[in-house]
Coordinates of all heavy atoms in Angstrom, one line a residue:
M1 N -15.5 -21.0 8.7 CA -14.8 -20.0 7.9 C -15.8 -19.1 7.1 O -16.7 -19.6 6.5 CB -13.9 -20.8 7.0 CG -13.0 -20.0 6.1 SD -11.3 -19.8 6.6 CE -10.6 -18.8 5.4
S2 N -15.5 -17.8 7.2 CA -16.5 -16.8 6.7 C -16.4 -16.7 5.1 O -17.3 -16.2 4.5 CB -16.3 -15.5 7.3 OG -15.0 -15.0 6.8
G3 N -15.3 -17.1 4.6 CA -15.2 -16.9 3.1 C -14.5 -15.6 2.8 O -14.1 -15.3 1.7
K4 N -14.4 -14.8 3.9 CA -13.6 -13.5 3.7 C -12.1 -13.8 3.7 O -11.7 -14.6 4.4 CB -13.9 -12.5 4.8 CG -15.4 -12.0 4.8 CD -15.5 -11.1 6.0 CE -17.0 -10.7 6.2 NZ -17.2 -10.0 7.5
P5 N -11.4 -13.0 2.9 CA -9.9 -13.1 3.0 C -9.5 -12.8 4.5 O -10.1 -11.9 5.1 CB -9.4 -12.1 2.1 CG -10.5 -11.7 1.1 CD -11.7 -12.0 1.9
R6 N -8.4 -13.5 4.9 CA -8.0 -13.3 6.3 C -6.5 -12.8 6.2 O -5.6 -13.5 5.7 CB -8.0 -14.6 7.1 CG -7.9 -14.3 8.6 CD -8.5 -15.4 9.4 NE -7.5 -16.4 9.5 CZ -7.2 -17.1 10.6 NH1 -7.8 -16.7 11.7 NH2 -6.3 -18.0 10.6
L7 N -6.3 -11.6 6.8 CA -5.0 -10.9 6.7 C -4.3 -11.1 8.0 O -4.8 -10.7 9.1 CB -5.2 -9.4 6.4 CG -5.5 -9.0 4.9 CD1 -6.6 -9.8 4.3 CD2 -5.9 -7.5 4.9
T8 N -3.0 -11.5 8.0 CA -2.2 -11.6 9.2 C -1.0 -10.7 9.1 O -0.2 -10.8 8.1 CB -1.7 -13.1 9.4 OG1 -2.9 -13.9 9.5 CG2 -0.9 -13.1 10.7
Y9 N -0.9 -9.7 10.0 CA 0.2 -8.8 10.0 C 0.1 -8.1 11.3 O -0.6 -8.4 12.2 CB -0.1 -7.7 8.8 CG 1.1 -6.9 8.5 CD1 2.2 -7.5 7.8 CD2 1.2 -5.6 8.8 CE1 3.4 -6.8 7.5 CE2 2.3 -4.8 8.5 CZ 3.4 -5.4 7.8 OH 4.5 -4.7 7.5
L10 N 0.9 -7.0 11.4 CA 0.8 -6.2 12.7 C -0.4 -5.2 12.6 O -0.9 -5.0 11.5 CB 2.1 -5.4 12.9 CG 3.3 -6.4 13.1 CD1 4.2 -6.3 11.9 CD2 4.0 -6.0 14.3
N11 N -0.7 -4.6 13.7 CA -1.8 -3.7 13.7 C -1.3 -2.3 13.3 O -1.3 -1.4 14.0 CB -2.5 -3.6 15.1 CG -3.7 -2.8 15.1 OD1 -4.2 -2.4 14.0 ND2 -4.3 -2.6 16.3
G12 N -0.9 -2.2 12.0 CA -0.3 -1.0 11.5 C -0.2 -1.1 10.0 O -0.4 -2.2 9.4
R13 N 0.3 -0.1 9.4 CA 0.3 0.0 7.9 C 1.3 -1.0 7.3 O 0.9 -2.0 6.8 CB 0.6 1.4 7.4 CG -0.6 2.4 7.7 CD -0.3 3.7 7.1 NE -1.3 4.7 7.4 CZ -1.3 5.9 7.1 NH1 -0.2 6.5 6.6 NH2 -2.3 6.7 7.4
G14 N 2.5 -0.6 7.3 CA 3.6 -1.5 6.8 C 3.3 -2.0 5.4 O 2.7 -1.4 4.6
R15 N 3.7 -3.3 5.2 CA 3.5 -3.9 3.9 C 2.1 -4.4 3.6 O 1.7 -4.7 2.5 CB 4.5 -5.1 3.7 CG 5.9 -4.6 3.5 CD 6.8 -5.8 3.1 NE 8.0 -5.4 2.5 CZ 9.1 -5.0 3.3 NH1 9.1 -5.1 4.6 NH2 10.2 -4.6 2.7
M16 N 1.3 -4.4 4.7 CA -0.1 -4.9 4.5 C -1.0 -3.7 4.0 O -2.1 -4.0 3.4 CB -0.7 -5.5 5.8 CG -2.0 -6.2 5.7 SD -1.9 -7.6 4.6 CE -1.7 -8.9 5.8
E17 N -0.6 -2.5 4.2 CA -1.6 -1.4 3.9 C -2.0 -1.4 2.5 O -3.2 -1.2 2.2 CB -1.0 -0.1 4.4 CG -2.1 1.0 4.5 CD -3.1 0.8 5.6 OE1 -3.1 -0.2 6.3 OE2 -4.0 1.7 5.8
P18 N -1.1 -1.5 1.5 CA -1.6 -1.5 0.1 C -2.6 -2.7 -0.2 O -3.4 -2.5 -1.1 CB -0.3 -1.7 -0.7 CG 0.8 -2.1 0.2 CD 0.4 -1.7 1.6
I19 N -2.4 -3.8 0.6 CA -3.4 -4.9 0.4 C -4.7 -4.5 0.9 O -5.8 -4.7 0.3 CB -2.8 -6.2 1.1 CG1 -1.5 -6.6 0.4 CG2 -3.8 -7.3 1.0 CD1 -0.7 -7.6 1.1
R20 N -4.7 -3.9 2.1 CA -6.0 -3.4 2.7 C -6.7 -2.4 1.7 O -7.9 -2.5 1.5 CB -5.8 -2.7 4.0 CG -5.2 -3.7 5.1 CD -5.1 -2.9 6.5 NE -4.5 -3.7 7.5 CZ -3.2 -3.5 7.9 NH1 -2.5 -2.5 7.5 NH2 -2.7 -4.3 8.8
W21 N -5.9 -1.5 1.2 CA -6.4 -0.5 0.2 C -7.0 -1.2 -1.0 O -8.1 -0.8 -1.4 CB -5.2 0.4 -0.2 CG -5.1 1.7 0.5 CD1 -4.3 2.0 1.5 CD2 -5.8 2.9 0.2 NE1 -4.5 3.3 1.9 CE2 -5.4 3.9 1.1 CE3 -6.8 3.3 -0.8 CZ2 -5.9 5.2 1.1 CZ3 -7.3 4.6 -0.8 CH2 -6.8 5.5 0.2
L22 N -6.3 -2.2 -1.5 CA -6.8 -2.8 -2.8 C -8.1 -3.6 -2.5 O -9.0 -3.5 -3.3 CB -5.7 -3.7 -3.4 CG -5.9 -4.1 -4.8 CD1 -6.1 -2.9 -5.8 CD2 -4.8 -5.0 -5.3
L23 N -8.1 -4.3 -1.5 CA -9.3 -5.1 -1.1 C -10.5 -4.1 -0.9 O -11.6 -4.3 -1.4 CB -9.1 -6.0 0.1 CG -8.3 -7.2 -0.1 CD1 -7.9 -7.8 1.2 CD2 -9.0 -8.2 -1.0
A24 N -10.2 -3.1 -0.1 CA -11.3 -2.1 0.2 C -11.8 -1.4 -1.1 O -13.0 -1.3 -1.3 CB -10.8 -1.1 1.2
A25 N -10.9 -1.0 -1.9 CA -11.2 -0.3 -3.2 C -12.1 -1.3 -4.1 O -13.0 -0.8 -4.8 CB -10.0 0.1 -3.9
A26 N -11.8 -2.6 -4.0 CA -12.6 -3.6 -4.8 C -13.9 -3.9 -4.1 O -14.7 -4.7 -4.6 CB -11.7 -4.8 -4.9
G27 N -14.1 -3.3 -2.9 CA -15.4 -3.6 -2.2 C -15.4 -4.9 -1.5 O -16.5 -5.4 -1.2
V28 N -14.2 -5.4 -1.1 CA -14.1 -6.7 -0.5 C -13.9 -6.6 1.0 O -13.0 -5.9 1.4 CB -13.0 -7.6 -1.1 CG1 -12.9 -8.9 -0.5 CG2 -13.1 -7.7 -2.6
E29 N -14.8 -7.2 1.8 CA -14.5 -7.2 3.2 C -13.5 -8.3 3.6 O -13.4 -9.3 2.9 CB -15.8 -7.5 4.0 CG -16.8 -6.4 3.8 CD -18.1 -6.6 4.7 OE1 -18.1 -7.6 5.4 OE2 -19.0 -5.8 4.6
F30 N -12.8 -8.0 4.7 CA -11.7 -9.0 5.1 C -11.7 -9.0 6.6 O -12.1 -8.1 7.3 CB -10.4 -8.6 4.5 CG -9.9 -7.2 4.6 CD1 -9.2 -6.8 5.8 CD2 -10.2 -6.2 3.7 CE1 -8.8 -5.5 5.9 CE2 -9.8 -4.9 3.8 CZ -9.1 -4.5 4.9
E31 N -11.0 -10.1 7.1 CA -10.8 -10.3 8.5 C -9.3 -10.0 8.8 O -8.5 -10.3 7.9 CB -11.1 -11.7 9.0 CG -12.6 -12.0 8.9 CD -12.9 -13.5 9.1 OE1 -11.9 -14.3 9.3 OE2 -14.0 -13.8 9.1
E32 N -9.0 -9.6 10.0 CA -7.6 -9.4 10.3 C -7.1 -10.1 11.6 O -7.9 -10.1 12.6 CB -7.3 -7.9 10.4 CG -7.6 -7.1 9.2 CD -6.7 -5.9 9.1 OE1 -5.5 -6.0 9.0 OE2 -7.3 -4.8 9.2
V33 N -5.9 -10.6 11.5 CA -5.3 -11.1 12.7 C -4.0 -10.3 13.0 O -3.2 -10.1 12.0 CB -4.8 -12.6 12.5 CG1 -4.0 -13.1 13.8 CG2 -6.0 -13.5 12.2
F34 N -3.9 -9.7 14.2 CA -2.8 -8.8 14.4 C -1.7 -9.5 15.3 O -2.0 -10.1 16.3 CB -3.3 -7.6 15.2 CG -4.2 -6.7 14.4 CD1 -5.5 -6.4 14.9 CD2 -3.9 -6.3 13.1 CE1 -6.4 -5.6 14.1 CE2 -4.8 -5.6 12.3 CZ -6.0 -5.2 12.8
L35 N -0.5 -9.5 14.8 CA 0.6 -10.1 15.5 C 1.1 -9.1 16.6 O 1.4 -7.9 16.2 CB 1.8 -10.4 14.6 CG 1.6 -11.4 13.5 CD1 2.8 -11.6 12.7 CD2 1.1 -12.7 14.1
Q36 N 1.0 -9.5 17.8 CA 1.4 -8.6 18.9 C 2.7 -9.0 19.6 O 3.3 -8.3 20.3 CB 0.3 -8.3 19.9 CG -0.7 -7.3 19.3 CD -2.1 -7.4 19.9 OE1 -2.5 -8.5 20.3 NE2 -2.8 -6.3 20.0
T37 N 2.9 -10.4 19.5 CA 4.1 -10.9 20.2 C 5.0 -11.8 19.3 O 4.5 -12.2 18.2 CB 3.6 -11.9 21.3 OG1 2.9 -13.0 20.7 CG2 2.7 -11.2 22.3
K38 N 6.2 -11.9 19.7 CA 7.1 -12.7 19.0 C 6.7 -14.2 19.0 O 6.8 -14.9 18.0 CB 8.5 -12.6 19.6 CG 9.6 -13.4 18.9 CD 10.9 -12.9 19.4 CE 12.0 -14.0 19.1 NZ 11.9 -14.6 17.7
E39 N 6.0 -14.6 20.0 CA 5.5 -16.0 20.2 C 4.5 -16.3 19.0 O 4.5 -17.4 18.4 CB 4.9 -16.3 21.5 CG 5.9 -16.3 22.7 CD 6.5 -14.9 23.0 OE1 5.9 -13.9 22.8 OE2 7.7 -14.9 23.4
Q40 N 3.6 -15.3 18.8 CA 2.6 -15.5 17.8 C 3.3 -15.7 16.4 O 2.9 -16.6 15.6 CB 1.7 -14.3 17.6 CG 0.5 -14.2 18.5 CD -0.2 -12.9 18.3 OE1 0.4 -11.8 18.6 NE2 -1.3 -12.9 17.7
Y41 N 4.3 -14.9 16.1 CA 5.0 -15.0 14.9 C 5.8 -16.3 14.8 O 5.7 -17.0 13.7 CB 5.9 -13.7 14.8 CG 6.9 -13.7 13.7 CD1 6.5 -13.8 12.3 CD2 8.2 -13.6 13.9 CE1 7.4 -13.8 11.3 CE2 9.2 -13.6 12.9 CZ 8.8 -13.7 11.6 OH 9.7 -13.6 10.6
D42 N 6.5 -16.6 15.8 CA 7.3 -17.9 15.8 C 6.4 -19.1 15.6 O 6.8 -20.0 14.9 CB 8.0 -18.0 17.1 CG 9.2 -17.1 17.2 OD1 9.6 -16.5 16.2 OD2 9.7 -16.9 18.3
K43 N 5.2 -19.0 16.2 CA 4.2 -20.2 16.0 C 3.8 -20.3 14.5 O 3.8 -21.4 14.0 CB 3.0 -20.0 16.9 CG 2.0 -21.2 16.8 CD 1.0 -21.2 17.8 CE 0.1 -22.4 17.8 NZ -0.1 -23.1 16.6
L44 N 3.6 -19.2 13.8 CA 3.3 -19.3 12.4 C 4.4 -20.0 11.6 O 4.2 -20.8 10.7 CB 3.0 -17.9 11.8 CG 1.7 -17.2 12.2 CD1 1.7 -15.8 11.7 CD2 0.5 -18.0 11.7
I45 N 5.6 -19.6 12.0 CA 6.8 -20.2 11.3 C 6.9 -21.7 11.6 O 7.0 -22.5 10.7 CB 8.1 -19.5 11.8 CG1 8.1 -18.0 11.3 CG2 9.3 -20.2 11.2 CD1 9.3 -17.2 11.7
K46 N 6.7 -22.0 12.9 CA 6.8 -23.4 13.4 C 5.7 -24.2 12.7 O 6.0 -25.4 12.3 CB 6.6 -23.4 14.9 CG 6.9 -24.7 15.5 CD 7.1 -24.6 17.1 CE 6.9 -25.9 17.8 NZ 5.4 -26.1 18.1
D47 N 4.6 -23.7 12.5 CA 3.5 -24.4 11.9 C 3.6 -24.5 10.4 O 2.8 -25.0 9.7 CB 2.1 -23.8 12.2 CG 1.8 -23.9 13.7 OD1 2.5 -24.7 14.4 OD2 0.9 -23.2 14.2
G48 N 4.7 -23.9 9.8 CA 4.9 -23.9 8.4 C 3.9 -23.1 7.6 O 3.7 -23.4 6.4
V49 N 3.4 -22.1 8.2 CA 2.3 -21.3 7.5 C 3.0 -20.3 6.5 O 2.4 -19.9 5.5 CB 1.4 -20.6 8.5 CG1 0.4 -19.7 7.8 CG2 0.7 -21.6 9.4
L50 N 4.1 -19.8 6.9 CA 4.8 -18.7 6.2 C 5.9 -19.2 5.3 O 6.9 -19.6 5.7 CB 5.4 -17.6 7.1 CG 4.4 -17.1 8.2 CD1 5.2 -16.1 9.1 CD2 3.3 -16.3 7.5
L51 N 5.6 -19.2 4.0 CA 6.6 -19.8 3.0 C 8.0 -19.3 3.2 O 8.9 -20.1 3.2 CB 6.1 -19.5 1.6 CG 6.7 -20.2 0.4 CD1 6.5 -21.7 0.5 CD2 6.2 -19.7 -0.9
F52 N 8.2 -18.0 3.4 CA 9.5 -17.5 3.6 C 9.8 -16.9 5.0 O 10.6 -16.0 5.2 CB 9.8 -16.4 2.5 CG 9.7 -16.9 1.1 CD1 8.7 -16.5 0.3 CD2 10.6 -17.9 0.6 CE1 8.6 -16.9 -1.1 CE2 10.5 -18.3 -0.7 CZ 9.5 -17.9 -1.5
Q53 N 9.0 -17.4 5.9 CA 9.0 -16.9 7.3 C 8.8 -15.4 7.4 O 9.3 -14.7 8.3 CB 10.4 -17.3 7.9 CG 10.7 -18.7 7.8 CD 12.1 -19.1 8.3 OE1 12.8 -18.3 8.9 NE2 12.5 -20.3 8.1
Q54 N 7.9 -14.9 6.5 CA 7.6 -13.5 6.6 C 6.1 -13.2 6.4 O 5.4 -14.0 5.8 CB 8.4 -12.8 5.4 CG 9.9 -12.7 5.6 CD 10.5 -12.1 4.4 OE1 10.2 -12.3 3.2 NE2 11.5 -11.3 4.6
V55 N 5.7 -12.1 6.9 CA 4.4 -11.6 6.6 C 4.6 -10.4 5.7 O 5.7 -9.9 5.7 CB 3.6 -11.2 8.0 CG1 3.2 -12.5 8.7 CG2 4.4 -10.3 8.9
P56 N 3.5 -9.9 5.0 CA 2.1 -10.2 5.1 C 1.8 -11.6 4.7 O 2.4 -12.2 3.8 CB 1.5 -9.2 4.1 CG 2.5 -8.2 3.7 CD 3.8 -8.8 4.1
L57 N 0.7 -12.2 5.4 CA 0.1 -13.4 5.0 C -1.4 -13.1 4.7 O -2.0 -12.4 5.5 CB 0.2 -14.4 6.2 CG -0.7 -15.6 6.1 CD1 -0.3 -16.6 5.0 CD2 -0.8 -16.3 7.5
V58 N -1.8 -13.6 3.5 CA -3.3 -13.4 3.2 C -3.8 -14.8 2.8 O -3.3 -15.4 1.9 CB -3.5 -12.4 2.0 CG1 -4.9 -12.4 1.6 CG2 -3.0 -11.0 2.4
E59 N -4.8 -15.2 3.6 CA -5.5 -16.5 3.3 C -6.7 -16.2 2.4 O -7.6 -15.4 2.8 CB -5.9 -17.2 4.6 CG -4.6 -17.6 5.4 CD -4.9 -18.0 6.8 OE1 -5.4 -19.2 7.0 OE2 -4.7 -17.2 7.7
I60 N -6.6 -16.7 1.2 CA -7.7 -16.3 0.2 C -7.8 -17.5 -0.7 O -6.9 -18.1 -1.2 CB -7.3 -15.0 -0.5 CG1 -8.4 -14.5 -1.5 CG2 -5.9 -15.1 -1.2 CD1 -8.1 -13.1 -2.0
D61 N -9.1 -17.8 -1.0 CA -9.4 -18.8 -2.0 C -8.6 -20.1 -1.7 O -8.1 -20.8 -2.7 CB -9.1 -18.4 -3.4 CG -10.0 -17.2 -3.8 OD1 -11.1 -17.0 -3.2 OD2 -9.7 -16.4 -4.7

Side-chain angles (χ1 to χ4, degrees):
M1 180 102 183
S2 67
K4 291 180 189 170
R6 197 159 80 134
L7 281 46
T8 302
Y9 196 71
L10 296 111
N11 187 6
R13 289 184 183 175
R15 286 189 165 84
M16 190 63 98
E17 196 66 356
I19 298 170
R20 296 185 186 106
W21 262 96
L22 194 58
L23 286 168
V28 180
E29 289 187 2
F30 51 87
E31 292 172 356
E32 297 207 67
V33 176
F34 298 127
L35 299 180
Q36 279 156 332
T37 64
K38 183 166 159 45
E39 289 68 33
Q40 272 176 295
Y41 169 60
D42 286 345
K43 182 167 183 336
L44 288 176
I45 295 177
K46 189 164 157 275
D47 292 348
V49 176
L50 305 175
L51 192 62
F52 300 113
Q53 306 178 8
Q54 290 177 319
V55 287
L57 166 70
V58 174
E59 292 167 80
I60 182 168
D61 296 338

